[in-house]
Amino acid sequence: MTQHQRLLIIDFGSQVTQLIARRLRELNVYCEIHPFNHVSDAFLRDFAPRAVILSGGPASVCDAGAPMPPASVFTLGVPVLGICYGQQVMMHCLGGRVERGEGSAEFGRAHVTPADDPLDLLEGWFESGREQVWMSHGDHVAALAPGFAVYGTSPGAPFAITADKARRFYAVQFHPEVHHTPRGARLLGNFVALAGFTGDWTMGAYRDEAIRAIREQVGDGKVICGLSGGVDSSVAAVLIHEAIGEQLTCVFVDHGLLRLGEAEQVVSMFRDHYNIPLVHADESALFLGALEGVSDPEKKRKTIGRLFIDVFQKHATETGGAEFLAQGTLYPDVIESVSFSGGPSVTIKSHHNVGGLPEKMGLKLVEPLRELFKDEVRSLGRELGLPESFIGRHPFPGPGLAIRCPGEITSEKLDILRRADAVYIDQIRKHGLYDEIWQAFAAILPMRTVGVMGDGRSYDYALGLRAVTSVDGMTADYYPFSHEFLSETATRIINEVRGVNRVFYDVTSKPPGTIELE
Ligand code: XMP
């Protein structure tokens, strides 16, 4: 749908391919990531990229059947940048030689120094005579393809930076997209500049384009938007309302798994502040009834997803036959869902939003945020005038407290969890930490523990507290609260919430943990 100058990232399965996209978006360059096995010659022709980046990846070009791009990547006449595995692919395809890693693998920090000959990609890059970069490769280039020369070396990588100036092919062994290559963004900036990108990807332009696309998709049809009160669905709703006004009805499903006071806040924001038609569907009895006795997390998500759709479909009929369901699906949801091995079995994680949409659904999806990262959604929200208090809210999962209550869900546990979570978040706000944290929440653990309170013995629930920092929810680190904060918070929770006698703080990063406990 986009009219912007486009860059294509061909993904070979690196853990950090998404970071390439993020760096480029920060440079106001529109790009899309597509797995190598979805990129055919015809796809390339239609996509018409102004430049192509070949990502890193875990495979070895020395293996039979190694992932390769279509041959026409190198005859399009546009600049191509190969990163790590992408460099090896380039050499392999263009007549160079790659050798297996035995003994020459290199992981971690390295320093690259320039060769004598200048290169447009490196314009202003070697400020201090050498640059720190992040290496992570097993195999290495042993002989350059014809036309290529070396423009930067490190002690362990004689071909750290290589290029064929005439064809504007660039290939680097390190990862410019990661934070450990501190000036990597500058290098990517040089690449898009030499490819002629003018930085035309702005939020204002995106908003106008998205509104046009929504009108085109929906025509005079009716749309219902599943509202969770989180940033994504709120921004989607306001954007769609701007596009089609009264054709939109928001349905806020209270599944009985919301936090304290959440339903009231959402209703007042949309109905009173925005005057957007809103159905507040209190379906807590339906959801909690179906979840009774269910402790498997996947079953919880599937049950909740199925009921969400039933409820949406019911309201689609009641609102005069809506044919569209709008969701706040984000780009990482879309990308994460495309399996590396590809093929027909790819799973689309637009489902993630409501915990698993059924395969067959009578409603067509409207997903105006599917090209955006979370922080971009926040800037779009600002562009649309949403209050800062809403834009800055921590993400909250579609299945709500169900996945913060490991094991069986009971109304007693939910009640304790709601009150404890409210105290925890209040503590975080009081200490001015809310905006530093990506997401913080309490979870009620599936165990009882012995305590001593007053002169008596208690046998109550234990609570887990989680707070993480993250850029996009894909990776995360636990937030390093002070001991004072933790003990003050634990004391407050135990004093103020009956039923809890012990508090744990989760110090696991993602990976290996996930953000939610289930
Ligand atoms: P995990 O736990 O996978 O979470 O590290 C990453 C982010 O996604 C949210 N999350 C969900 N959101 N439906 C959602 O709408 C889900 O089933 C779901 N599971 C996790 C989580 O809160 C975090 O922001």
Side-chain angles (χ1 to χ4, degrees):
M1 79 171 218
T2 181
Q3 327 260 311
H4 296 282
Q5 302 164 343
R6 297 145 72 88
L7 187 148
L8 175 67
I9 300 169
I10 302 185
D11 183 22
F12 293 101
S14 159
Q15 297 290 318
V16 289
T17 302
Q18 286 235 16
L19 292 180
I20 306 174
R22 286 195 57 80
R23 298 284 95 80
L24 295 175
R25 300 276 185 98
E26 283 158 15
L27 294 160
N28 294 337
V29 167
Y30 180 82
C31 64
E32 286 182 23
I33 302 172
H34 289 270
F36 71 93
N37 45 357
H38 290 192
V39 179
S40 61
D41 291 320
F43 175 94
L44 260 182
R45 213 177 30 249
D46 293 347
F47 192 92
R50 188 171 277 244
V52 176
I53 293 182
L54 309 175
S55 86
S60 167
V61 296
C62 305
D63 288 339
M68 288 292 149
S72 62
V73 162
F74 301 113
T75 53
L76 278 178
V78 302
V80 182
L81 170 64
I83 295 174
C84 198
Y85 180 80
Q87 179 192 46
Q88 295 159 14
V89 161
M90 209 187 266
M91 291 307 142
H92 180 84
C93 292
L94 297 175
R97 189 159 47 82
V98 175
E99 282 178 357
R100 281 196 194 278
E102 285 122 26
S104 67
E106 200 182 10
F107 296 97
R109 200 168 281 119
H111 287 92
V112 180
T113 47
D116 295 337
D117 203 7
L119 182 68
D120 47 4
L121 183 75
L122 304 175
E123 186 74 42
W125 200 57
F126 282 114
E127 255 180 356
S128 56
R130 62 178 205 159
E131 273 303 325
Q132 181 188 313
V133 299
W134 190 257
M135 296 281 188
S136 176
H137 61 96
D139 297 354
H140 63 276
V141 174
L144 289 178
F148 278 79
V150 174
Y151 295 91
T153 57
S154 75
F159 299 118
I161 303 172
T162 61
D164 176 338
K165 277 186 183 177
R167 289 188 284 178
R168 296 191 298 166
F169 293 162
Y170 306 84
V172 297
Q173 191 150 29
F174 55 89
H175 287 271
E177 68 276 30
V178 304
H179 288 293
H180 294 88
T181 301
R183 285 170 34 85
R186 168 73 191 249
L187 192 142
L188 292 171
N190 284 346
F191 178 67
V192 295
L194 68 86
F197 284 89
T198 52
D200 63 353
W201 168 253
T202 62
M203 242 344 125
Y206 181 81
R207 166 192 177 164
D208 297 343
E209 211 170 85
I211 287 176
R212 231 188 351 263
I214 293 165
R215 288 185 181 144
E216 207 171 287
Q217 185 190 359
V218 168
D220 55 9
K222 289 196 168 133
V223 181
I224 56 167
C225 178
L227 210 60
S228 68
V231 186
D232 308 339
S233 61
S234 303
V235 171
V238 174
L239 181 69
I240 296 170
H241 188 248
E242 214 169 88
I244 57 167
E246 300 285 301
Q247 285 165 253
L248 170 73
T249 303
C250 288
V251 180
F252 173 55
V253 181
D254 183 346
H255 47 21
L257 298 157
L258 296 167
R259 292 167 292 188
L260 205 65
E262 192 147 32
E264 295 75 14
Q265 286 163 21
V266 172
V267 172
S268 95
M269 155 107 169
F270 278 86
R271 209 177 266 164
D272 309 340
H273 187 82
Y274 275 105
N275 211 10
I276 298 180
L278 175 76
V279 177
H280 176 194
D282 182 356
E283 300 284 0
S284 42
L286 175 74
F287 280 79
L288 296 180
L291 287 168
E292 220 174 279
V294 178
S295 49
D296 175 67
E298 271 318 293
K299 195 154 177 227
K300 283 181 187 174
R301 280 194 171 80
K302 291 253 158 66
T303 307
I304 293 169
R306 177 174 51 78
L307 292 177
F308 257 125
I309 293 308
D310 288 352
V311 173
F312 285 143
Q313 262 164 343
K314 186 175 87 187
H315 286 283
T317 316
E318 280 173 15
T319 51
E323 335 154 34
F324 296 95
L325 171 66
Q327 290 204 125
T329 310
L330 303 191
Y331 196 52
D333 301 333
V334 178
I335 284 303
E336 263 194 354
S337 67
V338 182
S339 72
F340 177 60
S341 54
S345 65
V346 292
T347 39
I348 299 299
K349 200 182 141 194
S350 44
H351 306 179
H352 195 61
N353 269 307
V354 289
L357 296 183
E359 294 287 309
K360 278 199 183 143
M361 180 176 70
L363 297 164
K364 286 174 255 171
L365 288 177
V366 180
E367 295 178 317
L369 312 181
R370 22 181 319 126
E371 289 170 4
L372 302 183
F373 288 97
K374 189 94 183 177
D375 51 346
E376 292 172 329
V377 170
R378 291 193 161 123
S379 14
L380 178 59
R382 284 188 191 102
E383 185 79 34
L384 291 163
L386 266 89
E388 205 54 42
S389 59
F390 236 80
I391 287 173
R393 288 184 89 178
H394 290 173
F396 185 62
L401 300 182
I403 55 172
R404 295 180 178 175
C405 192
E408 205 175 320
I409 301 163
T410 64
S411 45
E412 183 206 15
K413 282 190 195 168
L414 288 175
D415 181 53
I416 292 173
L417 182 52
R418 271 192 195 102
R419 287 183 297 126
D421 188 75
V423 173
Y424 180 39
I425 299 298
D426 182 57
Q427 277 286 103
I428 290 175
R429 285 195 191 278
K430 275 200 178 128
H431 283 74
L433 303 174
Y434 190 84
D435 293 338
E436 275 178 43
I437 293 170
W438 160 269
Q439 199 169 1
F441 58 87
I444 187 158
L445 302 179
M447 65 201 242
R448 300 236 184 192
T449 72
V450 172
V452 51
M453 289 167 103
D455 288 326
R457 174 187 191 273
S458 66
Y459 189 53
D460 282 334
Y461 286 107
L463 204 76
L465 301 183
R466 184 105 168 104
V468 295
T469 53
S470 177
V471 178
D472 48 23
M474 307 272 297
T475 56
D477 210 349
Y478 77 89
Y479 186 80
F481 286 124
S482 67
H483 285 288
E484 291 72 26
F485 174 90
L486 288 172
S487 62
E488 188 183 301
T489 305
T491 306
R492 264 196 72 189
I493 290 175
I494 291 170
N495 286 349
E496 294 175 33
V497 184
R498 268 194 84 138
V500 178
N501 68 353
R502 203 175 284 260
V503 174
F504 293 95
Y505 185 56
D506 186 346
V507 293
T508 321
S509 59
K510 172 185 178 175
T514 54
I515 295 177
E516 302 290 345
L517 265 63
E518 285 196 329

